[in-house]
Amino acid sequence: MEEELRTMILDYLQKGFLDNIIDMFRHDKNLYPLVIDMIKDDRIRVRLGGVALVEELAKTSKEEFAGIVPGISALLKDPNPTLRGDAAYLLGIIGLETSLPDLLEASDDEDENVRIIALDAVEQINSLKQ
């Protein structure tokens, strides 16, 4: 993906153009890997926008996230507990069973908030199986 497009999309999230970004993602599935960049961004609006994007898109196209679940799961090992918690939360929203082993491992995280979020995500995914 072009660096210019990546920068533009992240900057648009910073400016609050979430609806436009959602439309872009709905029309171009190749953009999904950018979710990882959104979560890792230093700007709070970009991170929150990334979470809101996943919340919206997972309602109708959960399987589209399958390709980036490993990248999100890798963030569960990041030194930053906020990033680990965000990753666990996103995996719960996406709701794919392939995330369960990583989330169960994260349920033993040194940070209490990460443990709670990871366990909530596990419960959320398990409730979808029933």
Side-chain angles (χ1 to χ4, degrees):
M1 177 175 315
E2 293 179 29
E3 181 62 26
E4 294 167 357
L5 178 61
R6 178 194 166 282
T7 300
M8 181 200 75
I9 290 173
L10 296 180
D11 288 348
Y12 274 28
L13 273 180
Q14 174 65 20
K15 293 175 183 174
F17 298 132
L18 178 61
D19 290 336
N20 300 71
I21 302 303
I22 290 170
D23 286 340
M24 288 177 71
F25 272 67
R26 283 190 174 132
H27 290 93
D28 186 353
K29 306 305 181 196
N30 294 319
L31 296 175
Y32 276 68
L34 279 178
V35 168
I36 296 168
D37 292 333
M38 292 171 188
I39 305 291
K40 292 169 57 175
D41 200 275
D42 291 334
R43 299 169 288 183
I44 188 77
R45 279 186 90 167
V46 175
R47 290 195 316 268
L48 290 174
V51 170
L53 174 77
V54 173
E55 289 172 337
E56 182 61 30
L57 294 175
K59 292 176 187 176
T60 57
S61 56
K62 182 180 301 201
E63 293 301 322
E64 297 291 342
F65 288 101
I68 66 166
V69 162
I72 296 172
S73 291
L75 297 177
L76 293 170
K77 302 215 183 283
D78 193 89
N80 182 337
T82 301
L83 189 53
R84 294 194 309 270
D86 288 348
Y89 179 74
L90 288 181
L91 292 171
I93 292 170
I94 294 168
L96 297 178
E97 289 182 42
T98 57
S99 304
L100 287 173
D102 294 322
L103 287 167
L104 288 169
E105 185 178 333
S107 69
D108 287 331
D109 195 274
E110 64 188 39
D111 185 274
E112 180 181 9
N113 291 323
V114 174
R115 289 192 304 267
I116 292 168
I117 296 166
L119 287 171
D120 286 347
V122 168
E123 287 179 25
Q124 189 172 357
I125 293 169
N126 283 334
S127 72
L128 296 172
K129 294 193 302 187
Q130 299 172 1

